[in-house]
Amino acid sequence: MKKIAAVLLMVFIAVSLAACAPNREYMGFGFMGTFYSFKGVGGVEQKELEKKLLELENLVSVDGELKKINEAKAGEAVKVDAATYSLIKFAVDFNKNSSALDISLYPIVKLWGFDNTFNENSSLTPPDDQSITQTLTHVGLDLFEFDDENMTVTKKDDLAALDLGALGKGYAVSYLLEKCGFKEGILNLGGTIGAIGKEYKVGIEPPFGGESYFAVFTLKSGEVCSTSGNYQRNYVYEGTLYHHIFGDNGRPVENSLASVTVVCGSGAAADALSTACYVLGAEKSKELLDLYDASAVFVYEDKNVSSYKLDVNVTSKDYKLKVEE
Ligand code: AMP
Ligand code: MG
């Protein structure tokens, strides 16, 4: 009897606490180089959320922990924060599954002007072949040694450098949803979106502008979606579009894709996958998506759309959906 009363009391307290949880609606700019918004129930105050965003920015950006590695000389063992180290190791392991994600491409990202100095209004010109070939000599994860015990990274080449831009936002979204105590809600960090506590309908941004979304799908509690595309950071030079996602030839990937949206239970994996799947294209992405238990939507330049294991509803008549096996 006493046991039942204690259980009933605990249920009563839990229900009362949930009922007291405040509704939250926040948004802000300039964190991790982008905007964020949160709408939901419970969890931390906006100030606390922004404090965490600044901490995360330091952990994943090239101006934070990574700067120590990128500015180090060859042979120097550089100790980084445990979270940064484990995200680097996640990306290194991911690279063993697919070389399409290579965080050591940073010298190339910089050469093309897509580092954090990039600004839509700057007039950039593509580098010449010789500079690309030369810069590629400083790219490759084999130019780094990782010491898991001491969490240090040692370069073999002075100019080798790392960039977590392809997975940092996804990592941050999962981290915030797990650590901020939100009961339910939807968090958007520059288009990388995570849900907690219940499911939400999410729209996919059309790569070619126009409506605010052209298709919708359901994001379940604990899932994160990430989109990579050639329309997000690019410049046009002499009629050709150059964008920010690179292949191992040191050039922006050329394919018929405009964007890829990936849904996964891990934010870091969703983000890493969207970048890698953009590089790989739909057919070669399937095995990788299966490996991380993820699903995806591929949008082509001709407005054909293909979905793999994701139930999407195309709401715009300009787009045609094909479901992949
Ligand atoms: P995302 O927007 O998540 O697809 O990430 C793109 C960013 O990741 C770029 O702005 C670069 O900083 C970096 N990047 C570009 N290509 C690659 C690649 N193949 N592997 C890893 N990082 C990349
Ligand atoms: Mg990514």
Side-chain angles (χ1 to χ4, degrees), residues 1-322:
M1 195 62 190
K2 258 191 189 161
K3 238 185 190 171
I4 295 174
V7 169
L8 282 175
L9 182 67
M10 268 157 58
V11 170
F12 175 74
I13 292 170
V15 170
S16 313
L17 283 176
C20 296
N23 286 326
R24 308 278 197 198
E25 194 162 354
Y26 308 142
M27 71 180 299
F29 294 89
F31 295 88
M32 300 185 73
T34 186
F35 69 91
Y36 80 90
S37 69
F38 175 79
K39 190 167 185 204
V41 180
V44 298
E45 301 274 352
Q46 182 163 17
K47 261 204 171 143
E48 185 58 27
L49 181 66
E50 292 191 348
K51 198 174 139 215
K52 285 207 158 45
L53 274 163
L54 288 176
E55 284 167 17
L56 284 160
E57 181 164 351
N58 181 55
L59 294 176
V60 304
S61 102
V62 286
D63 291 324
E65 284 295 285
L66 292 178
K67 197 171 184 171
K68 297 185 199 163
I69 300 171
N70 295 350
E71 290 185 349
K73 292 259 168 285
E76 252 179 73
V78 180
K79 188 161 181 66
V80 286
D81 186 280
T84 306
Y85 189 81
S86 54
L87 193 59
I88 291 172
K89 283 309 295 277
F90 174 85
V92 170
D93 288 342
F94 190 106
N95 178 268
K96 290 177 190 149
N97 295 322
S98 171
S99 60
L101 184 92
D102 184 348
I103 58 168
S104 76
L105 274 167
Y106 189 52
I108 285 288
V109 172
K110 253 169 81 172
L111 177 72
W112 284 82
F114 289 114
D115 54 352
N116 50 10
T117 60
F118 178 80
N119 139 10
E120 272 161 31
N121 304 317
S122 45
S123 51
L124 290 165
T125 51
D128 57 42
D129 291 354
Q130 206 192 338
S131 326
I132 297 172
T133 311
Q134 221 289 319
T135 305
L136 278 173
T137 63
H138 307 294
V139 171
L141 288 170
D142 55 344
L143 298 177
F144 296 82
E145 265 167 15
F146 302 99
D147 177 345
D148 293 349
E149 207 167 302
N150 298 306
M151 291 190 207
T152 59
V153 179
T154 308
K155 302 196 295 193
K156 296 179 192 164
D157 178 311
D158 285 349
L159 298 180
L162 298 177
D163 162 27
L164 292 168
L167 64 164
K169 278 195 286 173
Y171 168 78
V173 167
S174 277
Y175 179 95
L176 293 169
L177 287 178
E178 279 161 25
K179 309 276 175 169
C180 290
F182 299 121
K183 297 241 167 301
E184 63 184 53
I186 183 153
L187 175 70
N188 185 347
L189 180 59
T192 303
I193 300 170
I196 190 160
K198 64 177 197 183
E199 57 183 45
Y200 291 84
K201 287 263 181 272
V202 172
I204 307 178
E205 187 183 16
F208 318 104
E211 312 105 299
S212 56
Y213 60 89
F214 72 91
V216 286
F217 64 90
T218 302
L219 193 66
K220 299 194 192 92
S221 174
E223 288 182 340
V224 175
C225 70
S226 163
T227 299
S228 293
N230 62 7
Y231 67 100
Q232 290 170 333
R233 260 184 179 211
N234 60 43
Y235 57 86
V236 176
Y237 179 74
E238 293 185 344
T240 304
L241 182 120
Y242 298 95
H243 65 85
H244 69 141
I245 302 175
F246 293 92
D248 57 9
N249 61 358
R251 292 160 203 279
V253 170
E254 278 183 64
N255 57 26
S256 51
L257 279 172
S259 76
V260 181
T261 297
V262 171
V263 176
C264 185
S266 144
D271 201 351
L273 282 166
S274 69
T275 309
C277 292
Y278 184 89
V279 176
L280 293 170
E283 211 39 56
K284 289 190 190 150
S285 294
K286 292 176 182 173
E287 210 179 311
L288 190 62
L289 288 161
D290 286 345
L291 199 62
Y292 288 89
D293 199 14
S295 52
V297 181
F298 297 82
V299 185
Y300 296 87
E301 292 287 357
D302 61 5
K303 295 192 175 171
N304 275 314
V305 178
S306 73
S307 74
Y308 182 65
K309 298 192 172 171
L310 188 66
D311 195 9
V312 253
N313 177 16
V314 172
T315 51
S316 163
K317 60 175 174 16
D318 298 336
Y319 293 79
K320 270 195 199 76
L321 178 69
K322 178 183 152 226

